[in-house]
Amino acid sequence: MYRYDEFDQQLVNERAEQFRRQVRRRMNGELTEDQFKPLRLMNGLYLQLHAYMLRVNVPYGCLSARQLRQLAHIARKYDKGYGHFTTRQNIQYNWIRLEDAADILTDLAAVGMNAMQSSGNCVRNVTADHYAGRARDELQDPRVWCELLRQYSILNPEFSYLPRKFKIAVTGAPKDRAAVALHDIGLRMYLNEGGEPGFEVIVGGGQGRTPVIGKTIREWIEPEHVISYVEAILRIYNLYGRRDNIYKARIKILVNALGIDKYRELVEAEWLQIRDGVLKIAPEELARIDAYFQPPAYEQLADQDTEPSQLHDADPAFAAWLQSNVAEHKVVGYAIVNVSLKSPGKIPGDLSAQKMDALADLADQYSFGELRVSHRQNLVLVDVKQSDLHALWQALGALDLATPNIGLASDIIACPGLDFCALANTRSIPVAQDIALHFANSTKLQHVGDLTINISGCMNACGHHHVGNIGILGVDKRGQEFFQLTLGGSSDEHASLGDRVGPGLPQSEVPGAIERIVDTYLEIRDGKDECFLNTYRRCGMEVFRTAVYGPAGPARRVTATRQVA
Amino acid sequence: MSTLIKDNKLTEDPFTRIGVDDAIPAQGAVLVPLATWQDHREKLLRRGEPVGVWLKSDEHPEIIAGDVNHLQLIALEFPTFRDGRGYSYARLVRERYGFEGELRAVGDVLLEQLHYMGRVGFNAFEVDSEDALAELEIAARDFSVWYQPSADGRASSAQLRTELKRHG
């Protein structure tokens, strides 16, 4: 993976020192909170309900064991002994003291990490397929371009005061694990007829209050032009994006207002002016960065016979874990192991410092010291020998990190909600915990199969409820928490937005409603291979609406709580 | 009281700012709104005095791209520090339209923004604070590495790496 050289290191060191001075000026009273706010936000420091929160970038989800140990150290020294992995492949610390913030940035810089632009109206951390460079279905490893985009966007002087925040996601596989259609820019790598890699460029996707599936602005662009094309998109957005209303300021609103054809025309005209300029990626720079992403020293192995079905009678728990948590590696004899941070009853995405350390050790022992953070709030060990899987499973199990639920009903994405967040209308963590406990039985979980459940505690949609197969949105009605369900959302290569089932339910009724939806699915699915999403797409809403509200429909009491989404 | 910094020095502003309805004085350097420039272009040029044009943040400098060689000053307004259009305008004015005169940031300009503004091509800043000069000095001292090539001509880290490789 990428390692800072002297230039990268100097840049983060200088930035950390600058922030140290700014914090000192704030603590001395030389800066008011109003003046300090934009400065701290540029360094990922939010003021939440109870304390400061620091959001640390994990660039395109790649993390070394050494970095994970430092994250553990930070959790222990400056927080309450844990951290929270987010849907943006980042980690957040929820209990930070202002006087420690600069020291944390210095500690991060020591391991080649930073918190720059993890907030604010700028280009945020570039995200990617968490299996990038490892997945067997991958056409092209996108990480070198992710790193080029990271360097291009960090402290970019032109694009640090965009109309609104800006998120870029990249994948190089036909199976979209990076939700590229739901980002301001999505880049999808594929090979042309000549076998050369290039990008499809998608623009204007996003969630929040106005969910939109992104549109293809360009079917094909050569990799050496990808940065200049991104710059053209950013410049047109910076010049013409709305600035009068923060809820209408994302690029998706501009693209929808102009229409994709007009937006494309503007971008293409701009791009023609810059395509052969300084942003064209020089072969030597590409080679320099690419060298960091060379594969580790794999052994020559054969694929093992680890068909879960054959193992099932001998060791059903291991078989279940293989089935759901282990993915195919592009190198024969190796496997990708997902580490579930979704043990039922626990807070989705949270990890204690002690477990971070233990996991870093396991990464060193079994996975060339490299991990990934997934946008589904789990971690990944990307280079595990298949012959080590059983031992690793046992070691993860001892840490309660081997729940066999990746992509299944208890692998719930939830935003921090009202337990932490100043924007939230409702809590979301207790709802996630309740539902996960309903699916704690691994046999039932496996029986139900692929099912994503996403929970957001307000319409800002940080829990990505729009794209959950089952989405749950918390709304406040006269001081009471209600939860609206949506069905049919998906963030993959056939992305879709969920449809609302009906009026919101009180929290106590949510797990039961989910259970009835799932039971209905089990009754009507066309065999075990038809996942929930496909059954919904085939059968439609009505049968599920009846399952939730009964044949008579929602009761009047509940109807009165209808919210405008 | 606003302060003008140009090329890292405190400077007396030689330009008189003219409003849309103001008469153009017979003599002296003037800074005029876009509408005045469009309506009185020939008259302003005939005066033989320095002329600057003041653009609001919704006035794209492309409008005056063909005129930049006649102008000594272009002032780009930031109605609030959050409105970042001026950063893109500045790069276009410098890099695409080839303007080499004074490019001045006016309006809601925060001290912390000065070094970014310098990077996109501004060389003059109208600010409300006496500390601006010190802030520019701090920024010049504290930041030595940039990932992006920009309008200030400073080498990006990628260019520095290539240099290092050639000579190392």
Side-chain angles (χ1 to χ4, degrees):
Chain A
M1 55 185 279
Y2 189 73
R3 284 187 309 279
Y4 283 7
D5 71 0
E6 61 193 286
F7 296 106
D8 303 290
Q9 193 63 53
Q10 194 169 335
L11 188 146
V12 288
N13 290 348
E14 289 171 357
R15 189 69 173 199
E17 282 312 301
Q18 179 200 38
F19 191 56
R20 185 177 300 282
R21 277 195 309 278
Q22 291 168 344
V23 170
R24 196 180 306 135
R25 285 167 68 200
R26 171 73 187 112
M27 309 236 333
N28 291 345
E30 290 171 47
L31 291 175
T32 65
E33 171 54 23
D34 251 15
Q35 292 168 320
F36 180 60
K37 185 178 173 184
L39 309 180
R40 65 172 166 75
L41 287 181
M42 283 177 207
N43 287 286
L45 194 64
Y46 284 73
L47 189 53
Q48 294 216 309
L49 284 179
H50 313 291
Y52 283 98
M53 179 271 276
L54 181 70
R55 183 183 293 149
V56 176
N57 296 318
V58 180
Y60 36 95
C62 291
L63 190 65
S64 71
R66 174 166 174 256
Q67 290 172 331
L68 184 57
R69 284 194 190 92
Q70 187 77 326
L71 295 179
H73 161 78
I74 289 167
R76 206 175 279 122
K77 183 166 176 188
Y78 306 106
D79 201 285
K80 294 186 175 180
Y82 68 96
H84 176 75
F85 290 95
T86 78
T87 57
R88 300 262 319 129
Q89 297 180 308
N90 292 327
I91 183 169
Q92 293 181 179
Y93 295 103
N94 281 316
W95 304 98
I96 295 302
R97 300 184 319 157
L98 180 58
E99 50 266 49
D100 291 331
D103 287 342
I104 300 175
L105 294 190
T106 303
D107 284 357
L108 288 169
V111 293
M113 298 184 81
N114 67 70
M116 285 181 242
Q117 297 182 196
S118 60
S119 169
N121 294 334
C122 50
V123 180
R124 303 289 186 89
N125 184 34
V126 174
T127 55
D129 183 353
H130 44 278
Y131 298 166
R134 299 296 185 266
R136 197 165 276 190
D137 70 336
E138 187 173 80
L139 301 169
Q140 185 70 28
D141 181 355
R143 290 173 300 160
V144 58
W145 287 280
C146 293
E147 175 58 25
L148 283 161
L149 282 165
R150 182 192 76 80
Q151 296 194 13
Y152 167 75
S153 58
I154 284 288
L155 306 187
N156 188 309
E158 185 179 349
F159 303 122
S160 293
Y161 295 90
L162 293 169
R164 200 71 182 89
K165 58 188 168 184
F166 202 91
K167 301 172 181 177
I168 303 176
V170 192
T171 183
K175 172 83 183 154
D176 181 1
R177 289 171 287 260
V180 296
L182 292 147
H183 285 75
D184 297 286
I185 293 178
L187 298 170
R188 194 196 305 271
M189 290 203 93
Y190 65 104
L191 306 177
N192 67 9
E193 285 169 2
E196 297 291 318
F199 294 94
E200 176 191 354
V201 184
I202 297 163
V203 70
Q207 302 193 50
R209 292 164 188 241
T210 315
V212 181
I213 305 282
K215 296 164 190 73
T216 299
I217 185 167
R218 203 165 217 284
E219 295 282 356
W220 174 262
I221 193 155
E222 293 84 5
E224 76 239 45
H225 293 307
V226 73
I227 304 284
S228 61
Y229 203 79
V230 166
E231 173 149 305
I233 292 173
L234 279 166
R235 185 166 296 140
I236 297 301
Y237 170 54
N238 193 39
L239 291 176
Y240 301 110
R242 280 181 66 172
R243 293 178 184 270
D244 59 330
N245 179 343
I246 64 163
Y247 301 117
K248 305 270 184 210
R250 293 289 290 270
I251 192 174
K252 60 193 173 190
I253 304 291
L254 178 63
V255 172
N256 280 353
L258 293 175
I260 184 66
D261 293 330
K262 178 66 184 169
Y263 195 78
R264 179 183 299 117
E265 193 183 304
L266 292 170
V267 168
E268 291 279 329
E270 177 60 34
W271 181 59
L272 279 180
Q273 303 264 357
I274 60 175
R275 56 168 279 169
D276 295 313
V278 287
L279 292 178
K280 190 169 172 182
I281 300 168
E284 60 262 36
E285 178 65 359
L286 188 67
R288 183 190 77 80
I289 294 181
D290 201 39
Y292 290 105
F293 297 108
Q294 292 309 301
Y298 294 119
E299 293 172 38
Q300 292 267 335
L301 302 168
D303 269 345
Q304 300 234 327
D305 186 7
T306 46
E307 272 302 305
S309 54
Q310 292 170 8
L311 265 170
H312 197 270
D313 289 338
D315 199 343
F318 180 50
W321 180 79
L322 284 180
Q323 172 86 34
S324 55
N325 290 28
V326 177
E328 287 189 315
H329 199 287
K330 64 166 64 162
V331 175
V332 169
Y334 283 82
I336 299 169
V337 171
N338 287 277
V339 177
S340 173
L341 305 187
K342 310 288 181 64
S343 178
K346 300 284 171 53
I347 296 176
D350 273 15
L351 193 62
S352 71
Q354 177 215 343
K355 289 184 184 182
M356 287 184 211
D357 278 336
L359 199 51
D361 291 346
L362 291 175
D364 276 336
Q365 189 178 351
Y366 292 112
S367 184
F368 296 101
E370 191 177 330
L371 303 101
R372 303 287 174 83
V373 183
S374 83
H375 87 277
R376 295 203 55 87
Q377 299 182 286
N378 294 304
L379 296 180
V380 186
L381 295 167
V382 283
D383 290 306
V384 180
K385 277 197 269 186
Q386 291 173 4
S387 55
D388 286 337
L389 284 172
H390 196 270
L392 177 58
W393 170 66
Q394 288 182 312
L396 290 172
L399 296 166
D400 193 24
L401 296 174
T403 307
N405 64 350
I406 298 298
L408 307 182
S410 60
D411 181 10
I412 296 170
I413 290 181
C415 71
L418 204 50
D419 292 295
F420 297 97
C421 178
L423 301 173
N425 292 128
T426 70
R427 291 167 299 160
S428 46
I429 290 168
V431 183
Q433 290 169 319
D434 274 1
I435 297 168
L437 286 169
H438 258 72
F439 290 98
N441 178 318
S442 136
T443 310
K444 174 156 190 192
L445 202 59
Q446 306 282 335
H447 184 57
V448 172
D450 290 349
L451 173 60
T452 58
I453 301 179
N454 292 43
I455 307 174
S456 303
C458 77
M459 63 174 90
N460 291 309
C462 296
H464 300 175
H465 65 277
H466 299 298
V467 294
N469 297 166
I470 299 177
I472 301 172
L473 167 64
V475 292
D476 174 86
K477 185 68 182 173
R478 288 190 289 271
Q480 276 193 296
E481 297 184 350
F482 284 87
F483 295 87
Q484 293 177 350
L485 305 184
T486 51
L487 299 180
S490 164
S491 64
D492 67 10
E493 61 280 10
H494 309 293
S496 56
L497 303 171
D499 307 311
R500 227 183 85 183
V501 184
L505 305 168
Q507 188 192 330
S508 59
E509 292 179 22
V510 172
I514 303 280
E515 184 143 42
R516 293 196 298 281
I517 289 169
V518 169
D519 288 344
T520 302
Y521 153 67
L522 291 174
E523 276 168 35
I524 63 175
R525 71 178 173 186
D526 184 15
K528 271 188 68 175
D529 290 337
E530 190 181 60
C531 65
F532 175 85
L533 183 61
N534 287 341
T535 300
Y536 174 77
R537 284 173 176 170
R538 180 172 59 81
C539 297
M541 174 63 78
E542 212 43 52
V543 61
F544 293 104
R545 186 174 283 139
T546 304
V548 172
Y549 299 104
R556 190 167 296 275
R557 166 184 71 83
V558 188
T559 309
T561 68
R562 181 180 291 265
Q563 292 279 307
V564 179
Chain B
M1 182 60 210
S2 70
T3 304
L4 179 66
I5 292 170
K6 184 182 170 190
D7 297 329
N8 297 312
K9 290 187 200 67
L10 275 176
T11 308
E12 281 291 317
D13 189 357
F15 287 85
T16 304
R17 190 179 170 186
I18 306 293
V20 183
D21 300 325
D22 295 345
I24 297 165
Q27 289 182 328
V30 288
L31 173 58
V32 302
L34 176 63
T36 304
W37 170 252
Q38 289 174 321
D39 292 348
H40 303 288
R41 183 175 179 280
E42 297 311 315
K43 183 180 174 188
L44 283 162
L45 290 175
R46 274 200 312 274
R47 293 168 76 241
E49 300 270 10
V51 185
V53 173
W54 175 298
L55 297 176
K56 294 188 175 302
S57 68
D58 58 357
E59 294 169 342
H60 196 304
E62 195 172 19
I63 306 166
I64 55 165
D67 285 335
V68 296
N69 291 332
H70 301 300
L71 301 175
Q72 283 68 43
L73 164 65
I74 295 174
L76 299 179
E77 182 176 328
F78 291 81
T80 118
F81 76 88
R82 293 183 189 83
D83 185 339
R85 280 175 282 190
Y87 296 88
S88 287
Y89 291 153
R91 286 196 66 187
L92 294 173
V93 165
R94 286 290 191 218
E95 297 174 53
R96 195 161 301 166
Y97 314 144
F99 179 63
E100 292 176 354
E102 176 182 341
L103 185 59
R104 186 188 294 182
V106 300
D108 190 15
V109 175
L110 301 186
L111 296 186
E112 281 74 15
Q113 297 179 306
L114 297 184
H115 63 279
Y116 276 4
M117 289 182 171
R119 291 224 65 219
V120 295
F122 288 101
N123 68 325
F125 312 96
E126 201 177 279
V127 284
D128 278 336
S129 167
E130 301 285 326
D131 301 329
L133 205 53
E135 181 66 26
L136 275 174
E137 283 163 9
I138 289 172
R141 191 184 65 222
D142 290 356
F143 295 100
S144 60
V145 187
W146 298 98
Y147 281 129
Q148 307 82 10
S150 191
D152 61 357
R154 273 195 270 192
S156 70
S157 54
Q159 290 160 334
L160 292 172
R161 281 172 182 130
T162 309
E163 283 295 299
L164 198 69
K165 212 169 173 183
R166 278 195 193 125
H167 302 296

